[in-house]
Amino acid sequence: MSLTSRVFGLFSTASSDSTAPPAGDFHTSTWTHPTPMGGIDDSTHSVRNGDLALLEDEEPRPPYLHAMLAGGTGGTCGDMLMHSLDTVKTRQQGDPTFPPKYTSMGQSYSTIYRQEGFCRGLYGGVTPALLGSFPGTVIFFGVYEYTKRLMIDSGINPSIAYLSGGFIADLAASVVYVPSEVLKTRLQLQGRHNNPHFNSGYNYRNMRDGFRQIVRMEGFSALFHGYKATIFRDLPFSALQFAFYEKEQSMAKQWVGKRDIGLGLEILTAATAGGMAGVITCPMDVVKTRIQTQQNLLEPPSGSSGAKHCVEHVPKESPRPHAPASSHPHPSRPHSRPISTSGANTSIPPPGTPRLDTSSVFTGLKMIYRTEGIAGWFRGVGPRGVWTSIQSGTMLVMYQYLLKQLEAYQVLEECL
């Protein structure tokens, strides 16, 4: 008996109806009746006497193509809906100034909108986000469904299958979305072209110009800069998100006694799963943002425009102009843009504050903790928690809805 069936047994009670079926049985109706709205009517497909294991065995498995299309559409819609809040989070985590310009979520949102506008400010970097979101989520849901089913059919505990499925699926999709994540993050951090309100160290005209500059100045491998940090953030996030979601879905089905748990519970389970996973993995998101907004320049010539992109890690009281590449003590070695290590309430850097070198994920975590404490690990946790909740809620609710629509269309075609 699976773990979920044991959990369900704790909440179930024996029926007093003398006509009730024997233990382990449940009343089912074929889950193939299209509703007038085009969905699938499973309102009579109820669970009795706590045998959730049989319900899991009978759970419809959508075709892989349906899962990939529904997941890709839902994931893209969720990403686009919450892109502005993701920009706020990126500004808070990657702000290189002393003191940080962007502190609270509301203040950051209003400041960016007032100074830079909606399209090039709050929705900066939306094009690479769109180009990476759809193919990335299509790959993710295809691999997730395949891995989950394979492990469950092999007798592995469903909770472990959900956790492992999310982990492996995100690893497969990372090859597609990490380069788009680098472009998106840098465009979000810089804001509009020739931004007079915020000096991020970048000044790309658009996505194409950003791609050319990154490849020319830092090499093609820079598009995968922060790959390890992104993996360390997204793999546990996806694993936790889908483990929480599948478990909450099972508990909701137990509670209502049927597969159709209603829109309210669909939103609640999806949003809480994404929100909890987002908060737990926030430290890795902070490190990822700071790594991806660094520059590893490839020996730019003296006086070249590439040197203008390097931002020095100094207080406002003693600004230092951008030095040409020839003044660097080791011109033959690649160098990185240091990132602010001050907390949100710090007006000047503490004496002896080290420069944050986040080429190593764990080194970055240690140095952030040493200079900012636990609060540094959870910088931007407010917008990240809200973003992951709404994004996950949108993605997973649309995923379930579109699966039912595709199932209904398939049934209607078979009946014709």
Side-chain angles (χ1 to χ4, degrees):
M1 182 179 293
S2 68
L3 176 62
T4 51
S5 62
R6 293 193 183 100
V7 173
F8 179 78
L10 297 175
F11 295 91
S12 62
T13 56
S15 174
S16 60
D17 188 356
S18 59
T19 62
D25 293 339
F26 57 95
H27 173 71
T28 62
S29 63
T30 56
W31 199 61
T32 55
H33 298 299
T35 67
M37 298 297 293
I40 299 296
D41 180 12
D42 64 340
S43 58
T44 60
H45 201 137
S46 58
V47 183
R48 295 184 182 177
N49 296 322
D51 202 339
L52 190 62
L54 292 179
L55 177 62
E56 289 175 347
D57 292 338
E58 297 295 327
E59 190 73 32
R61 293 184 173 185
Y64 289 116
L65 181 60
H66 289 187
M68 294 167 73
L69 289 176
T73 304
T76 303
C77 290
D79 288 341
M80 296 302 99
L81 177 66
M82 299 309 299
H83 185 83
S84 60
L85 194 58
D86 186 50
T87 299
V88 169
K89 176 204 65 117
T90 300
R91 292 287 181 95
Q92 288 186 5
Q93 292 179 345
D95 186 352
T97 60
F98 287 102
K101 179 177 179 179
Y102 305 101
T103 53
S104 69
M105 183 168 58
Q107 175 267 341
S108 302
Y109 207 104
S110 62
T111 299
I112 296 171
Y113 176 75
R114 184 180 66 255
Q115 294 180 344
E116 304 170 43
F118 186 78
C119 294
R120 297 306 302 269
L122 290 172
Y123 266 75
V126 70
T127 303
L130 177 62
L131 294 178
S133 179
F134 185 76
T137 47
V138 164
I139 295 172
F140 178 91
F141 276 92
V143 175
Y144 174 74
E145 286 292 332
Y146 176 80
T147 306
K148 177 184 72 173
R149 297 175 192 183
L150 181 64
M151 297 182 73
I152 291 177
D153 291 343
S154 300
I156 297 175
N157 184 280
S159 296
I160 298 177
Y162 303 147
L163 193 73
S164 303
F167 193 91
I168 296 171
D170 204 278
L171 181 63
S174 64
V175 179
V176 173
Y177 71 74
V178 169
S180 68
E181 181 84 2
V182 171
L183 282 166
K184 173 190 76 76
T185 303
R186 293 191 178 190
L187 288 168
Q188 284 178 315
L189 188 64
Q190 78 159 37
R192 70 188 200 185
H193 181 54
N194 291 329
N195 192 348
H197 305 287
F198 181 62
N199 184 11
S200 66
Y202 302 100
N203 194 28
Y204 308 132
R205 292 184 180 87
N206 48 43
M207 183 191 72
R208 184 179 300 178
D209 179 58
F211 177 83
R212 287 199 302 260
Q213 286 199 40
I214 290 173
V215 173
R216 184 176 70 251
M217 302 303 301
E218 304 173 55
F220 186 80
S221 61
L223 292 173
F224 290 88
H225 198 46
Y227 182 84
K228 184 167 64 173
T230 305
I231 290 297
F232 283 3
R233 179 200 67 172
D234 287 349
L235 264 61
F237 171 79
S238 296
L240 290 170
Q241 177 188 28
F242 278 85
F244 289 152
Y245 177 67
E246 299 276 11
K247 177 61 66 177
E248 290 180 35
Q249 283 272 308
S250 296
M251 295 175 65
K253 291 173 184 177
Q254 295 170 189
W255 189 55
V256 300
K258 55 186 178 183
R259 288 197 181 106
D260 186 5
I261 62 176
L263 181 61
L265 285 176
E266 287 283 4
I267 296 174
L268 180 64
T269 55
T272 54
M276 289 189 295
V279 170
I280 291 172
T281 56
C282 187
M284 305 309 300
D285 187 51
V286 173
V287 173
K288 189 275 308 180
T289 298
R290 298 188 182 187
I291 288 179
Q292 288 187 331
T293 53
Q294 291 182 135
Q295 287 182 325
N296 292 325
L297 303 181
L298 297 177
E299 305 180 31
S302 178
S304 68
S305 60
K308 296 179 182 179
H309 292 283
C310 186
V311 176
E312 296 297 332
H313 179 87
V314 294
K316 280 187 174 180
E317 289 75 16
S318 57
R320 186 170 60 188
H322 304 305
S326 60
S327 65
H328 197 282
H330 301 286
S332 62
R333 296 176 56 189
H335 58 281
S336 61
R337 175 172 82 79
I339 305 296
S340 166
T341 58
S342 70
N345 297 321
T346 305
S347 57
I348 58 174
T353 298
R355 291 159 63 112
L356 178 59
D357 178 10
T358 54
S359 59
S360 166
V361 174
F362 295 106
T363 299
L365 284 172
K366 288 189 292 185
M367 298 205 52
I368 291 171
Y369 176 76
R370 188 178 303 139
T371 56
E372 303 178 49
I374 294 292
W377 283 357
F378 289 90
R379 194 169 177 178
V381 68
R384 175 166 172 79
V386 175
W387 181 85
T388 53
S389 295
I390 300 178
Q391 191 273 346
S392 296
T394 303
M395 177 183 71
L396 295 173
V397 170
M398 286 194 66
Y399 174 69
Q400 295 292 346
Y401 172 77
L402 291 173
L403 280 182
K404 290 184 178 182
Q405 295 297 311
L406 293 170
E407 177 81 12
Y409 294 149
Q410 185 179 24
V411 169
L412 289 175
E413 288 181 358
E414 292 174 354
C415 292
L416 294 177

